[in-house]
């Protein structure tokens, strides 16, 4: 009798602790880890999508900010969580897959299951409104004539922008000096104060405000095609640098490796519906929502391409 009771308790314990089947998902609140401080554009994007998922999936969605260490704190928390769809993270690419190639962290690109992209933010090469460089051609010609003398501020030493400047030198022979800063506020002040000649930075709303005010002048953008909100700004590809298209930042949701495909598909479908909702798109800023939804497979393809292209430069940075 005692053995039978022990067996019953053991079976009950196992049944209570077993992960949800995909049909039962979600059975509890969902946590979305954000590797940035609260209140920024990426945090607000995660919260806008989280609010939609809460309604779509019928469970609370809690956004938890874990900034620092190039996002590694949040991503370590993600990959150590149960792969049951109840812990997700805002995946910021390229940094989510570039950081593991440069720093010793307990995850890599294969540790994530991408679900879908929320927003897509290109980079822009920009100068101050009173700069001597009236357009990209003038700036790039000066860089060729004065190798290493022109300074370009970037949002961190191992960001995609810093890597693209290395590729500008190694693949195209145009050498500038990269100057890392901590975030947009510092970069804005660096341009306005004249401590750098230019910046290569995400075209977030605060940077667009500098353009609108005439404090900054955009010279070139990173995507393969021009963007609607800067229609007169040429792409780097148009200017003769067809390979420099990878510093566009993707912000999406990811789960830990091992998450059941059925759960990933359900989350992907909910994200797709959210990004088709005009109210959600307005919250996110329509300018940054991709025209076509970038789902799990396409997101994985973009991450793999970043790893392939940035791998050699990342290894150089790691080796010092």
């Amino acid at each position: 009798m005692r053995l039978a009771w022990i067996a019953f308790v053991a079976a009950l314990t196992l049944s209570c602790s077993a992960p949800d089947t995909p049909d039962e998902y979600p059975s509890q609140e969902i946590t979305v880890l954000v590797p940035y401080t609260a209140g920024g554009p990426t945090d607000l994007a995660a919260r806008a999508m989280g609010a939609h998922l809460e309604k779509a999936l019928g469970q609370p969605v809690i956004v938890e900010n874990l900034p620092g260490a190039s996002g590694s704190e949040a991503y370590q928390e993600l990959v150590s969580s149960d792969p049951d769809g109840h812990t997700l993270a805002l995946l910021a690419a390229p940094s989510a897959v570039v950081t593991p190639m440069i720093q010793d962290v307990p995850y890599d690109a294969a540790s994530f299951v991408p679900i879908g992209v929320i927003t897509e933010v290109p980079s822009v090469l920009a100068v101050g409104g009173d700069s001597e460089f009236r357009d990209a051609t003038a700036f790039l010609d000066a860089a060729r004539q004065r190798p290493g003398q022109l300074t370009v501020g970037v949002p961190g030493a191992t960001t995609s922008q810093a890597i693209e400047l290395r590729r500008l030198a190694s693949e195209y022979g145009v050498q500038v000096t990269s100057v890392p800063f901590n975030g947009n506020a510092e970069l804005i002040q660096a341009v306005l104060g004249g401590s750098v000649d230019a910046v290569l930075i995400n075209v977030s709303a605060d940077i667009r405000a500098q353009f609108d005010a005439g404090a900054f002048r955009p010279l070139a953008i990173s995507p393969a095609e021009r963007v609607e909100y800067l229609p007169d700004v040429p792409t780097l590809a148009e200017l003769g640098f067809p390979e420099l298209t990878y510093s566009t930042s993707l912000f999406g949701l990811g789960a830990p490796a091992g998450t059941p495909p059925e759960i990933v598909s359900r989350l992907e479908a909910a994200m797709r519906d959210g990004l088709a909702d005009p109210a959600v798109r307005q919250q996110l800023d329509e300018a940054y929502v991709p025209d076509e939804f970038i789902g799990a497979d396409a997101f994985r393809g973009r991450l793999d391409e970043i790893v392939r292209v940035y791998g050699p430069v990342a290894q150089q940075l790691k080796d010092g």
Side-chain angles (χ1 to χ4, degrees), residues 118-144:
I118 303 172
T119 55
E120 188 173 25
V121 186
S123 291
V124 62
L125 178 67
V127 295
D130 58 355
S131 170
E132 64 179 285
F133 305 113
R134 306 308 300 174
D135 55 32
T137 299
F139 180 85
L140 294 165
D141 284 347
R144 289 187 182 94

Side-chain angles (χ1 to χ4, degrees), residues 116-281:
V117 171
I118 303 172
T119 55
E120 188 173 25
V121 186
S123 291
V124 62
L125 178 67
V127 295
D130 58 355
S131 170
E132 64 179 285
F133 305 113
R134 306 308 300 174
D135 55 32
T137 299
F139 180 85
L140 294 165
D141 284 347
R144 289 187 182 94
Q145 293 163 14
R146 295 181 268 161
Q149 293 185 32
L150 297 187
T151 54
V152 179
V154 293
T158 59
T159 57
S160 61
Q161 291 87 357
I163 290 177
E164 290 291 70
L165 292 181
R166 280 179 168 257
R167 296 180 68 222
L168 179 67
S170 63
E171 298 182 26
Y172 297 101
V174 181
Q175 185 178 353
V176 297
T177 295
S178 175
V179 183
F181 290 87
N182 293 314
N184 282 13
E186 287 189 10
L187 282 159
I188 290 170
Q189 289 306 312
V191 173
L192 298 180
S195 59
V196 293
D197 295 303
V199 288
L200 185 60
I201 190 173
N202 281 343
V203 195
S204 49
D206 52 350
I207 300 304
R208 288 168 64 191
Q210 298 297 322
F211 295 150
D212 293 341
F216 278 25
R217 183 185 309 121
L219 302 183
I221 55 169
S222 63
E225 298 179 358
R226 297 192 185 198
V227 296
E228 291 182 4
Y229 48 87
L230 293 174
D232 298 324
V233 179
T235 67
L236 288 166
E238 288 178 61
L239 296 167
F241 310 101
E243 293 298 318
L244 300 187
T245 60
Y246 294 95
S247 64
T248 294
S249 296
L250 304 176
F251 298 98
L253 291 183
T259 301
E262 298 88 347
I263 290 177
V264 173
S265 293
R266 184 165 185 197
L267 287 164
E268 180 186 29
M271 287 187 67
R272 184 189 299 272
D273 290 343
L275 292 175
D277 183 336
V280 175
R281 294 178 71 91

